[in-house]
Amino acid sequence: MVRFSFCGHDLIALPQGALFWPARRALLVADLHLEKASWFARGGQMLPPYDSIATLADLTALAASVGPAEIWCLGDSFHDTGGCERLPERACELLAALTHAHRWTWITGNHDPVVAAIVGGEAVAEAELDGLILRHEADPGDPRPELSGHFHPKLRIHRRGRLVSRRCFVMSETKLILPAFGALTGGLEAHHPEILRAVGPGAEALVPLSDRLLRFPVAA
Amino acid sequence: MLAAGRAGRSVLLVAATGAGKTLAGFLPTLVDLLEPYEGLHTLYISPLKALAVDVQRNLLTPIEEMGLPIRVETRTGDTPADRKARQRANPPHILLTTPESLSLLLTHPDSAQLFAGLKTVVVDEIHAFATQKRGDLLALGLSRLEALAPGLRRVGLSATVADPDSYRAWLAPHGDMDAVDLVTGDPGAEPDIAIMLPDDDRIPWSGHSGRWATHHVMRQIERHRTSLVFCNTRGLCELMFQDLWTVNDNGLPIGIHHGSLSVEARRKVEQAMADGKLRALVCTSSLDLGIDWGDVDLVMQMGAPKGSSRLLQRIGRANHRLDEPSEAILVPGNRFEYLEARAALDAVEEGALDPDIFRPGALDVLAQHVMAVACAGPFDEAELLAEIAAAAPYAGLSAELFGNILSFIESGGYALRAYDKFKRLRRNADGKWQVTNPRFIQQHRENAGIIVEAPALNVRFRNGRKLGTVEEYFASTLSVGDTFHFAGLTLEVERIDTPELIVKATTRPARIPTYVGLRMAMTTHLADRVRHFLAEPETWRRFPDDVREWLEVQQRRSLLPQPDQLLVETFPHEGRHYLVLYSFEGWNAHQSLGMLITRRMESAGLKPLGFVSNDYALAVYGLEEIADPAALLSPDILEEEFVDWVQGSNLLKRAFREVAIIGGLVERQQLGKRKSGRQVTFSTDLIYDVLRRYEPDHLLLRAAWEDARARLTDVARLGGLVERAASTLVHAKLDRVSPLAVPSLVLIGRESVPAGLADDDLLIEAESLARIAMAE
C-alpha cells in the first residue's frame, strides 16, 4: 500500500476501491448503491438479488483487513430511498455488524437523501474532518479541499489488443473523487467532461495496485 | 412439389441457388388460392427482411399476370404499426415475414384467430439458420402454429446440404423426418472454379487476404459484367475496397457491403446492384444470403474459403441460370491458404459438403418464447411443455427444466426468493400461468429478438448522415483527429460523443477498423483434407512449383505429419525458443490454446514472451528451450486451467450478455439512448460476476456456458485436440526454423499477446509509456 499526499494529508488508495486515512484510522467508501438490483427488479429486470450482500461482504472483509475506527460512506449508499427496506436479511446482518463495530457516518447523496434509522449510523449532508470537506458530489465553487463520490470514475486503457477497465480515483489539487464501491455500479470514464468540470484543471486518475499507485494524467 | 401439395404432405426442397426454389415452394399455395379463400392461407418465413420484400416483388408478378385474386403482404420490423394492426384484423392470403416478426405476432391474443385457418408455412433458406438460435425460435414458433392450426403443411427450402435428413427432422413435428418428403432439384451445371496465382506462380509466404492480387482482381472486374468480391472479415473488406480503388484507372463503379454499414448505406448499394449500376461489390458474409441479382457473372473469394458449403453457396450468387456454369476465382493469401483453396475446390467437385451440427435448443430462446406465449394469454403448464417438446431442438425437455424456465421468467429464478412481490407471471384461479401486468407485455415486445449486437458506436457525419457502427473496442483506440477507413471512405474523427462518433471526410492516410470477436474458422472437413495433402506427396503434382518445393523441403528438414498425427516443432530463432504446433483447428481454438500454453510455460519457468496463431498452426515463443512439449499439453489443462480461463474470459461474459438479453433478464440498451453523467445503467459483466459468486448454478450461467461450448465449436475442437495430443504428438526438434513454420511466424497485422502480462502489467506499462511520453 502506497501513501500519497492530498492537501497535506497522507492518504492510502486501496485496490478494492476505497480510501484509508491513517491519521484518523478512517475508511472512506463511495456509492455503495445497495439494492440496485431490486430497484431494477421492480421494473421487470430481475437482476441477481445478491448485490447488497456482495458489496457488504466486500466491505466487511476490507474493514477486517485495515482495522478502521470510523467508516464514512460518501453518499448514494442506497440506490433509492426505499432501498433500505428491501435489504435481504443477510445484508441487514452484515450492515448491522459494521455500523455497530465502527463509528459510522452516512453522507447523504442524490439517490438516498434520507437514510433510515433502522440500519444504524449517523446521517449528515456534509462533514468537515481535519480541514477536508466530505460530501457526495464535488462542488466546483468550493475552494476548500474536498473528498467526494458520485461520478463512479473508471479508467479504460487499451494495450496489446486488450481493453483494461478499472475503477479509479480522480485527483486535482484540491479535489479527490472516489470510485464507486458497489458490486453492480458501472463507471464513467475519468476524462468525461462532467468529471473534469467537477475537479478542475490538472487532474490525474489514480489506480492503486497491491504494491503501487499508478497515476495517469486525464484531460478532455 | 405439386404432388406433395395435393397430398397435403410436408416437404423439404433442396436445390441449388437459381433453380426457382422459392416460386416452387409457393406453387401449391397458388393452386389452392385459385378458389376463393377467406383469411391467412400461407405464411412465408425468411431469415432476411430484404428477402421477404424481394419475394413479394417476385410473387406479385406471376399473380398479376395470371390475374389471381390473391393478396400478398410483408410484415417485418420495418412495417408501419398501422399496417401491422390492419394485417391482424384483415389478414392477406400470403404473409411474408421473419422468425422474429412471427414470434411477435404470437404475442397477440388474437393470434389464435389469425392462424386458425393457416394451411401452409414456407421456410426459406432453412440451411442458413436451422442450426442457430433463430432456428430454435422458429422451431418453437412452428410448434405454436401447429397447436393453433393442426395439420399445417410445412415446406422447407434449402440450398444443397450434406445431410438433408437432419433438416427434414428439424422441420417435422416431433422430429419425425418421415413426415416430410424430400424433393431434390436439378443440380445445374458444374461451376467453373479457378485458383488465382501470381504471374510468376509464386504464392506469398505470408498474408491472409490475397492483397497481392489487387491488380489481378481489378483486371477480372474489368473483364466481367458484374463481380462479387467476398472477403472473410469486415476489416479486410474495407482494405480490399481501398486497394481496388487505388488501381481503378477506369473509374469503374465499385461498391462495398458489410454488416457494420448502416441500413441506409446497404439498401442504397443493393439497389444500385439490382439496377445493374455496379461493376463490382466488395462484400462479406452479409451477402451470403439474400436477393438474387441476375447479372452477377463472377464471384471472387479473397483469402481462404473456410468451408466447402459456404464456398458453394457463394459461387451460387453468380449466374442464376442453371444451364450455364457459375464462374468463380479463389485468391489464396499464402501457401497454407493455397492448400485450403485446393481442398475446397476438390470438395466442391466431389459434391462433398460440410456437415451441419444440430445442437439442443438454447434456453434463453426458450425463455423468450414462453414469455411470448404468456403475452398472448394464460397457458397451461403441461400443455405448453408438450407443445414445446414437439419442436425438434427441444425434444426431451424435462418438466423440471421447464419449471426452472418458468421460475426464471416469473422472478429471475433465484434461490433467494427476494422478488416474490415483483413477479412477472403468476398462476390464476384456473391454475394457468398469466402475465401480472400489461407493461411486461409491452416490455417483452420491445426487447424480443435473437440478434444481439456487440457494444458499438454510431459513425455519422455532422449533418446527421449515418454511415454505420464500429465496435466499442476499436472506438476506444481513437482520439479526435485520428483517421480510419470505413464504409469505403477515409474519415477523420471530429468528436467522440459516446455513443456517437462524429466524423468528416479526409484524404490523410488511415487505419482499418478491427473487429473483435470470433473469426470464421476453417471447417473440420476442410482441415482434414489439408492434413491429407501434407501426408500424401503424390497429391502435390497438382500444386504450383513453389508450394510443392515448400512441402518437399519441409519433408527433408523436419517432418510432415500423418493425418492423425499432431506435429510439434521446436527450434531456436533470433535468440528465442519457438514451439510451433500444427493442429489445423482454427484461429479461435489456437488463440485459446496459446493463452493456456503460455500460462503453463510461465509456471514451468520457461519465460514465455508471446504467441501468434492462424487457422493452421500456433506458435509460442519464450526465452527457454521447450524440451518436453507433451507436458504443456497434458489433458488436465482442460479440467482446471481451461474451465478457469473460460469462466474468467470475455468469451463467457459476451455469451452471458447475449443470453441475458435474449432471455429477457435485462432490456436491450438502445444504441443512441444517451448515457447521462450519472450512471443509470448497469453492466452485464458485473451481473455475471455477482451471479457467479452467489449462484453459480443459475439457469442463465448454464445457458451462457452451453452457448460458449456449443456455438464456439472451436472450443470443442480444442478439447479434442488436447485429448488426442498424448497419443498423437510427434516432436521434431530442429536447429532452425522449418519451411512449414514460416507462414505462421511472419504473420502481418496480428498482435501477439504477450504471456504473463495480466491486466495489472498492462496498466503499469501504459502508465510508464505515458510518463516517458510526457516527460519534459
Side-chain angles (χ1 to χ4, degrees):
Chain A
M1 291 195 290
V2 183
R3 295 182 183 218
F4 67 100
S5 176
F6 174 70
C7 297
H9 295 276
D10 268 0
L11 301 175
I12 296 172
L14 299 164
Q16 292 87 344
L19 189 72
F20 188 61
W21 188 346
R24 288 188 63 96
R25 283 184 51 225
L27 180 64
L28 294 92
V29 288
D31 299 280
L32 303 181
H33 282 265
L34 299 174
E35 288 310 296
K36 179 170 178 172
S38 59
W39 186 82
F40 279 100
R42 258 185 352 188
Q45 300 191 77
M46 307 286 175
L47 308 190
Y50 305 107
D51 62 318
S52 302
I53 298 172
T55 303
L56 292 169
D58 289 345
L59 188 53
T60 303
L62 187 57
S65 78
V66 300
E70 51 193 52
I71 295 182
W72 297 79
C73 300
L74 300 184
D76 283 3
S77 303
F78 286 88
H79 190 71
D80 63 296
T81 317
C84 204
E85 284 105 57
R86 297 195 307 270
L87 272 186
E89 204 180 322
R90 174 82 193 113
C92 282
E93 290 162 13
L94 286 166
L95 188 53
L98 280 167
T99 55
H100 183 74
H102 310 91
R103 179 186 167 203
W104 184 286
T105 313
W106 307 97
I107 303 277
T108 49
N110 52 335
H111 276 222
D112 56 350
V114 186
V115 168
I118 50 171
V119 289
E122 183 193 352
V124 296
E126 269 183 29
E128 182 173 350
L129 290 189
D130 303 337
L132 297 188
I133 304 295
L134 274 55
R135 59 165 62 102
H136 175 58
E137 182 175 351
D139 177 0
D142 190 340
R144 294 173 295 175
E146 168 198 273
L147 304 175
S148 62
H150 179 66
F151 290 103
H152 306 191
K154 67 172 180 187
L155 187 73
R156 280 152 55 105
I157 294 283
H158 46 86
R159 290 213 58 75
R160 299 178 183 255
R162 261 196 285 176
L163 184 64
V164 183
S165 181
R166 216 35 100 74
R167 298 174 185 198
C168 69
F169 296 75
V170 175
M171 183 171 76
S172 66
E173 200 188 335
T174 58
K175 306 239 179 253
L176 179 59
I177 297 181
L178 272 65
F181 192 82
L184 278 193
T185 48
L188 191 64
E189 288 199 54
H191 62 72
H192 193 281
E194 291 207 29
I195 294 184
L196 297 181
R197 201 176 312 131
V199 296
E204 281 181 312
L206 310 182
V207 179
L209 303 181
S210 57
D211 59 343
R212 63 172 106 187
L213 182 66
L214 305 179
R215 292 164 180 261
F216 298 84
V218 282
Chain B
M1 289 302 288
L2 275 173
R6 268 195 296 272
R9 297 276 298 167
S10 290
V11 61
L12 175 70
L13 172 58
V14 174
T17 327
K21 278 199 291 271
T22 309
L23 205 54
F26 279 106
L27 265 182
T29 297
L30 298 182
V31 170
D32 253 16
L33 289 175
L34 289 173
E35 308 290 324
Y37 191 87
E38 203 50 47
L40 184 62
H41 180 286
T42 292
L43 192 63
Y44 163 89
I45 295 156
S46 127
L48 285 183
K49 284 191 242 179
L51 192 57
V53 174
D54 194 53
V55 166
Q56 187 195 20
R57 242 191 332 251
N58 291 337
L59 209 52
L60 285 178
T61 316
I63 288 174
E64 274 165 19
E65 279 171 2
M66 290 186 269
L68 300 175
I70 301 177
R71 249 174 72 209
V72 183
E73 292 182 13
T74 57
R75 183 190 185 93
T76 68
D78 299 338
T79 309
D82 58 332
R83 191 185 307 161
K84 282 186 181 168
R86 186 180 51 67
Q87 281 173 344
R88 296 201 339 260
N90 177 19
H93 297 108
I94 301 176
L95 186 65
L96 313 170
T97 189
T98 61
E100 286 86 352
S101 286
L102 169 62
S103 178
L104 284 175
L105 260 176
L106 291 172
T107 64
H108 291 280
D110 54 11
S111 57
Q113 292 85 11
L114 177 67
F115 293 116
L118 188 68
K119 299 283 179 251
T120 304
V121 179
V122 180
V123 182
D124 205 352
E125 307 263 22
I126 196 169
H127 63 278
F129 66 120
T131 61
Q132 298 168 13
K133 284 192 177 183
R134 300 180 77 210
D136 294 343
L137 186 71
L138 180 56
L140 291 165
L142 289 175
S143 260
R144 185 84 194 139
L145 290 175
E146 180 76 35
L148 301 176
L152 180 75
R153 235 167 60 80
R154 305 175 182 206
V155 178
L157 310 175
S158 173
T160 318
V161 286
D163 178 18
D165 286 351
S166 49
Y167 285 87
R168 286 165 71 196
W170 183 88
L171 190 61
H174 302 285
D176 173 19
M177 70 176 213
D178 293 333
V180 177
D181 294 343
L182 177 66
V183 175
T184 311
D186 181 345
E190 292 287 320
D192 168 12
I193 315 174
I195 297 179
M196 184 182 277
L197 297 176
D199 293 334
D200 58 1
D201 265 11
R202 300 203 70 84
I203 296 181
W205 281 101
S206 65
H208 54 91
S209 55
R211 283 185 79 192
W212 59 265
T214 306
H215 281 95
H216 298 65
V217 171
M218 195 66 221
R219 246 173 282 152
Q220 292 295 338
I221 292 172
E222 286 163 359
R223 250 180 250 155
H224 288 80
R225 212 167 42 235
T226 312
S227 307
L228 288 180
V229 183
F230 278 102
C231 301
N232 286 337
T233 67
R234 284 168 277 187
L236 288 179
C237 185
E238 293 279 352
L239 199 62
M240 199 61 215
F241 179 84
Q242 293 294 334
D243 284 356
L244 281 176
W245 271 95
T246 59
V247 298
N248 187 1
D249 301 331
N250 302 322
L252 298 181
I254 299 177
I256 181 168
H257 192 284
H258 62 71
S260 289
L261 299 182
S262 67
V263 175
E264 295 89 321
R266 275 183 278 164
R267 293 294 164 271
K268 214 170 131 190
V269 76
E270 285 162 10
Q271 193 55 47
M273 196 74 184
D275 296 345
K277 288 182 185 150
L278 290 182
R279 291 291 296 279
L281 189 53
V282 186
C283 58
T284 64
S285 55
S286 64
L287 276 198
D288 277 352
L289 288 177
I291 308 161
D292 293 350
W293 294 305
D295 246 11
V296 174
D297 58 344
L298 174 67
V299 167
M300 275 182 277
Q301 166 68 45
M302 305 306 297
K306 303 294 162 211
S308 59
S309 298
R310 180 180 293 272
L311 177 63
L312 199 64
Q313 281 149 25
R314 286 186 169 174
I315 292 171
R317 309 304 294 155
N319 194 10
H320 281 198
R321 273 181 303 251
L322 277 180
D323 50 340
E324 285 175 31
S326 306
E327 192 181 346
I329 299 176
L330 311 182
V331 188
N334 63 45
R335 291 158 190 225
F336 272 121
E337 288 196 347
Y338 173 83
L339 297 182
E340 186 183 330
R342 190 76 243 173
L345 207 155
D346 289 355
V348 168
E349 275 173 9
E350 292 165 25
L353 298 167
D354 304 312
D356 290 301
I357 298 158
F358 284 80
R359 43 147 198 71
L363 298 176
D364 51 340
V365 177
L366 179 57
Q368 188 177 108
H369 175 73
V370 172
M371 185 63 188
V373 171
C375 290
F379 66 85
D380 178 82
E381 185 170 339
E383 275 173 26
L384 186 60
L385 173 60
E387 181 186 307
I388 287 167
Y394 296 94
L397 176 69
S398 71
E400 190 197 349
L401 184 52
F402 186 54
N404 290 345
I405 297 269
L406 286 173
S407 145
F408 166 72
I409 300 171
E410 177 201 62
S411 56
Y414 301 107
L416 183 67
R417 307 286 311 173
Y419 298 154
D420 284 351
K421 49 187 172 300
F422 307 137
K423 282 181 180 176
R424 295 192 296 178
L425 287 186
R426 67 154 179 264
R427 282 182 196 271
N428 64 16
D430 308 337
K432 293 187 169 187
W433 289 94
Q434 69 177 45
V435 180
T436 56
N437 191 320
R439 77 194 156 101
F440 295 135
I441 297 178
Q442 195 50 37
Q443 204 171 33
H444 172 83
R445 291 192 185 132
E446 282 166 13
N447 288 285
I450 297 300
I451 295 169
V452 176
E453 305 282 351
L457 277 79
N458 280 322
V459 181
R460 68 166 178 87
F461 286 124
R462 213 179 331 169
N463 68 12
R465 189 183 141 204
K466 277 191 223 148
L467 295 171
T469 57
V470 291
E471 285 179 11
E472 212 173 41
Y473 174 76
F474 176 70
S476 76
T477 68
L478 291 173
S479 308
V480 171
D482 283 358
T483 54
F484 64 103
H485 292 300
F486 185 71
L489 302 166
T490 309
L491 304 169
E492 178 179 329
V493 179
E494 271 200 327
R495 205 169 73 232
I496 302 172
D497 195 0
T498 310
E500 288 194 314
L501 202 60
I502 319 298
V503 295
K504 65 179 181 194
T506 180
T507 51
R508 291 163 43 207
R511 296 193 283 149
I512 295 289
T514 48
Y515 293 90
V516 205
L518 293 166
R519 295 176 196 211
M520 205 191 302
M522 175 174 51
T523 60
T524 41
H525 166 218
L526 282 196
D528 284 343
R529 284 176 181 266
V530 173
R531 283 200 194 98
H532 278 277
F533 283 155
L534 296 186
E536 293 160 15
E538 62 277 14
T539 62
W540 302 350
R541 276 174 291 135
R542 301 186 292 157
F543 300 167
D545 292 347
D546 62 335
V547 173
R548 197 171 54 239
E549 195 186 334
W550 172 56
L551 296 175
E552 284 164 358
V553 177
Q554 169 72 18
Q555 200 174 24
R556 275 203 304 278
R557 291 251 188 81
S558 176
L559 277 172
L560 281 168
Q562 290 304 304
D564 57 353
Q565 284 179 331
L566 174 65
L567 172 63
V568 175
E569 293 178 331
T570 55
F571 51 82
H573 181 62
E574 289 180 345
R576 293 167 171 182
H577 290 274
Y578 282 79
L579 175 150
V580 185
L581 186 116
Y582 302 90
S583 44
F584 299 93
E585 298 294 359
W587 182 82
N588 302 314
H590 292 156
Q591 285 292 103
S592 311
L593 191 60
M595 217 88 80
L596 294 172
I597 289 188
T598 44
R599 195 180 281 185
R600 281 207 159 180
M601 287 169 68
E602 186 89 31
S603 43
L606 294 172
K607 299 184 187 144
L609 292 168
F611 66 85
V612 57
S613 58
N614 58 19
D615 264 351
Y616 316 97
L618 162 71
V620 298
Y621 46 94
L623 294 176
E624 302 291 330
E625 187 184 344
I626 300 161
D628 182 13
L632 294 176
L633 285 164
S634 61
D636 56 336
I637 202 170
L638 286 179
E639 283 154 30
E640 295 150 29
E641 288 121 305
F642 179 70
V643 172
D644 258 14
W645 175 72
V646 172
Q647 289 194 338
S649 73
N650 289 328
L651 199 82
L652 212 55
K653 286 185 175 168
R654 265 203 300 273
F656 180 78
R657 177 172 174 271
E658 195 184 300
V659 298
I661 291 173
I662 294 176
L665 179 77
V666 306
E667 293 182 52
R668 282 168 198 269
Q669 306 282 327
Q670 299 295 346
L671 196 63
K673 209 190 261 178
R674 204 166 281 265
K675 273 188 198 171
S676 67
R678 188 174 61 74
Q679 289 286 314
V680 291
T681 56
F682 47 81
S683 126
T684 54
D685 289 2
L686 296 176
I687 297 175
Y688 172 81
D689 290 337
V690 168
L691 196 51
R692 233 184 106 198
R693 184 164 155 193
Y694 288 95
E695 202 165 335
D697 298 327
H698 190 265
L699 182 81
L700 276 193
L701 290 180
R702 178 175 159 185
W705 183 245
E706 280 174 6
D707 237 26
R709 223 180 13 203
R711 211 160 38 117
L712 317 175
T713 45
D714 311 294
V715 171
R717 286 169 73 170
L718 174 64
L721 160 74
V722 172
E723 268 159 29
R724 282 196 314 273
S727 54
T728 61
L729 190 146
V730 281
H731 179 193
K733 194 165 177 271
L734 311 174
D735 58 358
R736 61 175 150 152
V737 56
S738 76
L740 216 51
V742 174
S744 315
L745 297 191
V746 291
L747 283 173
I748 300 170
R750 292 280 165 88
E751 249 168 322
S752 64
V753 183
L757 268 193
D759 288 353
D760 277 6
D761 303 276
L762 291 174
L763 285 169
I764 291 168
E765 187 181 87
E767 190 214 26
S768 96
L769 284 175
R771 203 169 33 225
I772 294 164
M774 301 300 285
E776 299 290 326

